[in-house]
Amino acid sequence: LLRHRYHGVAVRDIVEFLEQETGKIDLDVLHPGWLIFSTSGHSRWGYRVAKRAVDLLIGSALVFVLSPVFLIVAAGVCLEDGVRAPLFYRQRRVGRGGRVFNLLKFRSMRVDAERDTGPLWAARQGDDRVTRMGRIIRRFRVDELPQLANIIRGEMSIVGPRPERPEFVEKLCAGVPLYDFRHCMRPGLTGWAQLNFPYGASVEDASEKLKYDLFYIKNASIVFDLFILMQTLEVVVWGRSLSMAGPRAREMPMLGGTHGGGPPPALPHERDVA
Protein backbone atom coordinates (compact mmCIF):
# COMPACT_ATOMS: atom_id res chain seq x y z
CA LEU A 1 0.00 0.00 0.00
CA LEU A 2 2.80 2.40 0.82
CA ARG A 3 4.48 1.70 -2.52
CA HIS A 4 1.25 2.32 -4.42
CA ARG A 5 0.57 5.46 -2.39
CA TYR A 6 3.88 7.03 -3.37
CA HIS A 7 3.28 6.12 -7.01
CA GLY A 8 0.14 8.24 -7.05
CA VAL A 9 -2.55 5.65 -6.22
CA ALA A 10 -5.14 6.92 -3.73
CA VAL A 11 -5.22 4.84 -0.53
CA ARG A 12 -8.10 5.51 1.84
CA ASP A 13 -8.73 4.55 5.44
CA ILE A 14 -11.55 2.01 5.93
CA VAL A 15 -13.41 4.42 8.24
CA GLU A 16 -13.35 7.19 5.64
CA PHE A 17 -14.39 4.78 2.88
CA LEU A 18 -17.41 3.50 4.84
CA GLU A 19 -18.27 7.06 5.89
CA GLN A 20 -18.60 8.25 2.30
CA GLU A 21 -20.34 5.13 1.00
CA THR A 22 -22.93 4.72 3.78
CA GLY A 23 -23.49 8.25 5.11
CA LYS A 24 -22.56 7.22 8.66
CA ILE A 25 -19.46 6.50 10.76
CA ASP A 26 -19.07 2.81 11.50
CA LEU A 27 -18.30 2.42 15.21
CA ASP A 28 -17.10 -1.16 14.74
CA VAL A 29 -14.02 -0.09 12.75
CA LEU A 30 -13.55 3.37 14.27
CA HIS A 31 -10.35 4.05 16.21
CA PRO A 32 -10.13 7.08 18.57
CA GLY A 33 -7.26 8.73 16.70
CA TRP A 34 -9.39 9.04 13.57
CA LEU A 35 -11.89 11.32 15.28
CA ILE A 36 -9.20 13.22 17.21
CA PHE A 37 -7.26 14.25 14.12
CA SER A 38 -10.09 14.50 11.59
CA THR A 39 -11.48 17.91 10.65
CA SER A 40 -14.88 18.51 12.26
CA GLY A 41 -17.33 20.94 10.67
CA HIS A 42 -19.11 21.92 13.89
CA SER A 43 -15.90 23.23 15.51
CA ARG A 44 -15.47 26.05 12.98
CA TRP A 45 -16.26 29.44 14.54
CA GLY A 46 -17.78 30.87 11.36
CA TYR A 47 -20.13 27.92 10.98
CA ARG A 48 -21.38 28.21 14.56
CA VAL A 49 -22.14 31.93 14.15
CA ALA A 50 -23.85 31.42 10.79
CA LYS A 51 -25.86 28.46 12.12
CA ARG A 52 -27.17 30.50 15.06
CA ALA A 53 -28.14 33.36 12.75
CA VAL A 54 -30.00 30.94 10.45
CA ASP A 55 -31.77 29.39 13.45
CA LEU A 56 -33.04 32.78 14.62
CA LEU A 57 -34.09 33.83 11.11
CA ILE A 58 -35.90 30.60 10.17
CA GLY A 59 -37.35 30.07 13.65
CA SER A 60 -38.88 33.55 13.83
CA ALA A 61 -40.19 33.37 10.26
CA LEU A 62 -41.82 29.97 10.84
CA VAL A 63 -43.56 31.15 14.01
CA PHE A 64 -45.12 34.00 12.03
CA VAL A 65 -46.02 31.98 8.93
CA LEU A 66 -47.35 28.93 10.78
CA SER A 67 -49.36 30.78 13.42
CA PRO A 68 -52.67 29.67 11.78
CA VAL A 69 -51.51 26.04 12.07
CA PHE A 70 -50.84 26.59 15.79
CA LEU A 71 -54.42 27.78 16.22
CA ILE A 72 -55.92 24.86 14.27
CA VAL A 73 -53.96 22.26 16.25
CA ALA A 74 -54.82 23.95 19.55
CA ALA A 75 -58.51 23.87 18.63
CA GLY A 76 -58.30 20.18 17.66
CA VAL A 77 -56.61 19.16 20.91
CA CYS A 78 -59.15 21.12 22.96
CA LEU A 79 -62.11 19.61 21.09
CA GLU A 80 -60.88 16.08 21.77
CA ASP A 81 -59.78 16.38 25.39
CA GLY A 82 -61.55 19.51 26.64
CA VAL A 83 -60.35 23.04 27.25
CA ARG A 84 -58.91 22.16 30.67
CA ALA A 85 -56.57 19.51 29.30
CA PRO A 86 -52.96 20.67 28.75
CA LEU A 87 -52.23 21.80 25.21
CA PHE A 88 -48.46 21.40 25.36
CA TYR A 89 -46.30 18.55 26.52
CA ARG A 90 -43.13 19.54 28.37
CA GLN A 91 -40.40 16.95 28.62
CA ARG A 92 -36.88 17.18 30.04
CA ARG A 93 -34.20 16.61 27.40
CA VAL A 94 -30.42 16.78 27.36
CA GLY A 95 -28.92 19.54 25.22
CA ARG A 96 -25.52 20.96 24.39
CA GLY A 97 -22.87 20.27 27.01
CA GLY A 98 -25.22 17.93 28.87
CA ARG A 99 -27.47 20.77 30.05
CA VAL A 100 -31.10 19.75 30.63
CA PHE A 101 -33.94 21.86 29.20
CA ASN A 102 -37.72 21.53 28.77
CA LEU A 103 -38.62 20.50 25.23
CA LEU A 104 -42.04 21.66 24.02
CA LYS A 105 -44.50 19.68 21.90
CA PHE A 106 -48.17 19.76 21.13
CA ARG A 107 -49.60 16.99 23.30
CA SER A 108 -50.28 13.94 21.11
CA MET A 109 -50.74 11.34 23.88
CA ARG A 110 -53.15 10.89 26.75
CA VAL A 111 -52.53 13.07 29.79
CA ASP A 112 -51.83 9.96 31.92
CA ALA A 113 -49.71 8.21 29.25
CA GLU A 114 -46.72 7.54 31.56
CA ARG A 115 -48.41 7.72 34.95
CA ASP A 116 -48.03 3.98 35.62
CA THR A 117 -45.14 3.04 33.35
CA GLY A 118 -42.71 5.93 33.81
CA PRO A 119 -40.43 7.10 30.94
CA LEU A 120 -40.71 4.95 27.80
CA TRP A 121 -39.06 5.01 24.39
CA ALA A 122 -40.77 7.05 21.67
CA ALA A 123 -44.24 5.84 20.73
CA ARG A 124 -44.58 3.69 17.62
CA GLN A 125 -47.45 3.08 15.21
CA GLY A 126 -50.42 1.48 16.92
CA ASP A 127 -49.50 2.85 20.36
CA ASP A 128 -52.77 3.17 22.27
CA ARG A 129 -51.37 6.11 24.24
CA VAL A 130 -51.64 8.33 21.16
CA THR A 131 -54.88 10.30 20.75
CA ARG A 132 -56.83 10.60 17.50
CA MET A 133 -55.66 14.18 17.01
CA GLY A 134 -52.20 13.06 18.02
CA ARG A 135 -52.03 10.57 15.15
CA ILE A 136 -52.81 13.33 12.66
CA ILE A 137 -50.29 15.86 13.95
CA ARG A 138 -47.61 13.18 14.35
CA ARG A 139 -48.04 12.05 10.75
CA PHE A 140 -47.22 15.52 9.47
CA ARG A 141 -44.72 16.30 12.28
CA VAL A 142 -46.90 19.22 13.42
CA ASP A 143 -46.53 18.18 17.06
CA GLU A 144 -42.89 19.32 16.87
CA LEU A 145 -43.68 22.94 15.95
CA PRO A 146 -43.63 24.36 19.52
CA GLN A 147 -39.93 23.52 19.58
CA LEU A 148 -39.44 26.67 17.53
CA ALA A 149 -39.56 28.39 20.94
CA ASN A 150 -36.66 26.17 22.09
CA ILE A 151 -34.75 27.16 18.95
CA ILE A 152 -35.28 30.90 19.42
CA ARG A 153 -34.20 30.60 23.08
CA GLY A 154 -30.96 28.91 21.98
CA GLU A 155 -31.69 25.53 23.57
CA MET A 156 -32.02 23.82 20.19
CA SER A 157 -31.11 24.31 16.55
CA ILE A 158 -33.08 23.71 13.37
CA VAL A 159 -30.69 20.88 12.40
CA GLY A 160 -28.77 18.68 14.80
CA PRO A 161 -28.82 15.41 16.75
CA ARG A 162 -32.18 14.64 18.33
CA PRO A 163 -32.24 15.45 22.08
CA GLU A 164 -32.87 12.48 24.36
CA ARG A 165 -34.38 12.19 27.82
CA PRO A 166 -31.97 12.27 30.81
CA GLU A 167 -33.27 8.91 32.03
CA PHE A 168 -32.09 7.30 28.79
CA VAL A 169 -28.92 9.35 28.28
CA GLU A 170 -27.34 8.00 31.45
CA LYS A 171 -27.96 4.44 30.31
CA LEU A 172 -26.84 5.11 26.72
CA CYS A 173 -23.61 6.87 27.75
CA ALA A 174 -22.72 3.82 29.83
CA GLY A 175 -23.57 1.29 27.12
CA VAL A 176 -22.81 3.00 23.79
CA PRO A 177 -19.24 4.19 23.04
CA LEU A 178 -18.94 7.90 22.12
CA TYR A 179 -22.64 8.55 22.80
CA ASP A 180 -21.87 11.60 24.94
CA PHE A 181 -19.95 13.13 21.99
CA ARG A 182 -23.27 14.03 20.32
CA HIS A 183 -23.81 16.65 23.04
CA CYS A 184 -20.98 18.79 21.65
CA MET A 185 -23.55 20.79 19.64
CA ARG A 186 -27.13 21.97 20.04
CA PRO A 187 -29.75 19.28 19.42
CA GLY A 188 -31.98 19.73 16.41
CA LEU A 189 -35.62 19.80 15.39
CA THR A 190 -34.58 17.66 12.43
CA GLY A 191 -31.32 15.98 11.56
CA TRP A 192 -29.37 13.47 9.50
CA ALA A 193 -30.13 10.58 11.87
CA GLN A 194 -33.85 11.41 11.90
CA LEU A 195 -33.95 11.25 8.11
CA ASN A 196 -32.15 7.93 7.87
CA PHE A 197 -33.40 5.96 10.85
CA PRO A 198 -36.82 5.63 12.54
CA TYR A 199 -37.65 6.38 16.16
CA GLY A 200 -35.21 4.60 18.47
CA ALA A 201 -36.76 2.05 20.80
CA SER A 202 -33.69 0.30 22.22
CA VAL A 203 -30.01 0.70 23.02
CA GLU A 204 -29.20 -0.97 19.69
CA ASP A 205 -31.29 1.60 17.80
CA ALA A 206 -29.60 4.44 19.68
CA SER A 207 -26.19 3.04 18.73
CA GLU A 208 -27.21 2.91 15.07
CA LYS A 209 -28.54 6.49 15.12
CA LEU A 210 -25.31 7.63 16.75
CA LYS A 211 -23.43 6.59 13.60
CA TYR A 212 -25.46 9.11 11.60
CA ASP A 213 -25.10 11.79 14.30
CA LEU A 214 -21.31 11.44 14.26
CA PHE A 215 -21.33 11.71 10.47
CA TYR A 216 -23.33 14.94 10.72
CA ILE A 217 -21.10 16.42 13.43
CA LYS A 218 -17.96 15.68 11.42
CA ASN A 219 -19.35 17.00 8.12
CA ALA A 220 -21.50 19.84 9.47
CA SER A 221 -21.87 22.82 7.13
CA ILE A 222 -24.58 25.26 6.09
CA VAL A 223 -24.90 23.43 2.75
CA PHE A 224 -25.41 20.11 4.55
CA ASP A 225 -28.01 21.75 6.82
CA LEU A 226 -29.92 23.05 3.80
CA PHE A 227 -29.80 19.59 2.22
CA ILE A 228 -31.33 18.09 5.39
CA LEU A 229 -34.00 20.82 5.51
CA MET A 230 -35.06 20.11 1.93
CA GLN A 231 -35.36 16.39 2.66
CA THR A 232 -37.33 17.16 5.82
CA LEU A 233 -39.73 19.37 3.86
CA GLU A 234 -40.44 16.41 1.58
CA VAL A 235 -41.30 14.27 4.62
CA VAL A 236 -43.59 16.94 6.10
CA VAL A 237 -45.41 17.62 2.81
CA TRP A 238 -46.04 13.94 2.01
CA GLY A 239 -46.58 12.85 5.64
CA ARG A 240 -44.42 9.79 5.18
CA SER A 241 -44.89 7.45 8.18
CA LEU A 242 -44.36 8.39 11.84
CA SER A 243 -40.63 8.60 11.38
CA MET A 244 -38.84 10.58 8.73
CA ALA A 245 -37.10 7.49 7.46
CA GLY A 246 -40.33 5.61 6.73
CA PRO A 247 -41.18 1.93 7.27
CA ARG A 248 -38.23 0.62 5.21
CA ALA A 249 -35.64 2.74 6.98
CA ARG A 250 -33.58 -0.23 8.16
CA GLU A 251 -33.16 -1.37 4.57
CA MET A 252 -32.18 2.04 3.20
CA PRO A 253 -28.82 3.54 4.15
CA MET A 254 -29.97 6.90 2.81
CA LEU A 255 -33.28 8.64 2.25
CA GLY A 256 -34.64 7.73 -1.17
CA GLY A 257 -33.23 4.21 -1.43
CA THR A 258 -30.09 2.85 -3.02
CA HIS A 259 -30.57 4.43 -6.44
CA GLY A 260 -30.64 1.38 -8.66
CA GLY A 261 -28.83 -1.02 -6.35
CA GLY A 262 -25.56 0.87 -6.22
CA PRO A 263 -24.11 2.80 -3.31
CA PRO A 264 -25.93 5.97 -2.23
CA PRO A 265 -24.64 9.23 -3.65
CA ALA A 266 -21.96 11.02 -1.68
CA LEU A 267 -23.03 14.17 0.12
CA PRO A 268 -21.56 17.56 -0.77
CA HIS A 269 -18.70 17.77 1.72
CA GLU A 270 -17.61 21.23 2.73
CA ARG A 271 -14.31 20.90 0.88
CA ASP A 272 -16.19 20.06 -2.34
CA VAL A 273 -18.44 23.10 -2.02
CA ALA A 274 -15.50 25.38 -1.33
Side-chain angles (χ1 to χ4, degrees), residues 63-81:
V63 168
F64 177 76
V65 173
L66 298 176
S67 54
V69 178
F70 278 81
L71 295 176
I72 294 172
V73 174
V77 173
C78 291
L79 285 174
E80 181 169 5
D81 296 326

Side-chain angles (χ1 to χ4, degrees), residues 243-262:
S243 68
M244 292 188 180
R248 298 184 62 251
R250 295 177 185 273
E251 304 173 16
M252 298 188 297
M254 289 215 184
L255 187 68
T258 56
H259 299 271

Side-chain angles (χ1 to χ4, degrees), residues 154-248:
E155 297 164 334
M156 291 180 61
S157 178
I158 296 290
V159 180
R162 189 66 183 157
E164 192 51 84
R165 303 176 69 169
E167 296 87 353
F168 299 145
V169 167
E170 183 178 357
K171 179 189 298 184
L172 293 171
C173 286
V176 180
L178 297 176
Y179 188 83
D180 193 49
F181 186 65
R182 68 199 297 276
H183 299 133
C184 66
M185 65 190 312
R186 290 187 182 93
L189 178 64
T190 183
W192 186 235
Q194 294 92 296
L195 285 173
N196 288 279
F197 201 82
Y199 281 128
S202 66
V203 174
E204 291 74 19
D205 286 349
S207 179
E208 188 66 23
K209 291 187 72 173
L210 176 63
K211 299 176 183 180
Y212 293 103
D213 286 332
L214 293 178
F215 178 90
Y216 171 74
I217 292 170
K218 179 178 178 293
N219 298 283
S221 69
I222 296 298
V223 173
F224 194 6
D225 286 355
L226 293 176
F227 175 85
I228 293 172
L229 284 174
M230 287 189 292
Q231 296 285 9
T232 302
L233 181 62
E234 177 187 346
V235 173
V236 173
V237 170
W238 293 104
R240 177 166 33 199
S241 184
L242 288 182
S243 68
M244 292 188 180
R248 298 184 62 251

Side-chain angles (χ1 to χ4, degrees), residues 54-124:
V54 170
D55 286 342
L56 287 172
L57 179 63
I58 295 180
S60 302
L62 286 178
V63 168
F64 177 76
V65 173
L66 298 176
S67 54
V69 178
F70 278 81
L71 295 176
I72 294 172
V73 174
V77 173
C78 291
L79 285 174
E80 181 169 5
D81 296 326
V83 294
R84 294 188 177 182
L87 176 61
F88 297 105
Y89 180 58
R90 293 175 174 82
Q91 193 177 74
R92 296 171 70 245
R93 296 293 179 102
V94 178
R96 183 180 180 184
R99 290 185 291 271
V100 177
F101 67 97
N102 287 320
L103 178 140
L104 296 175
K105 282 187 176 185
F106 280 120
R107 186 174 56 80
S108 60
M109 295 193 296
R110 301 192 316 266
V111 177
D112 60 347
E114 294 186 346
R115 179 177 299 171
D116 299 324
T117 61
L120 297 174
W121 294 99
R124 291 179 174 272

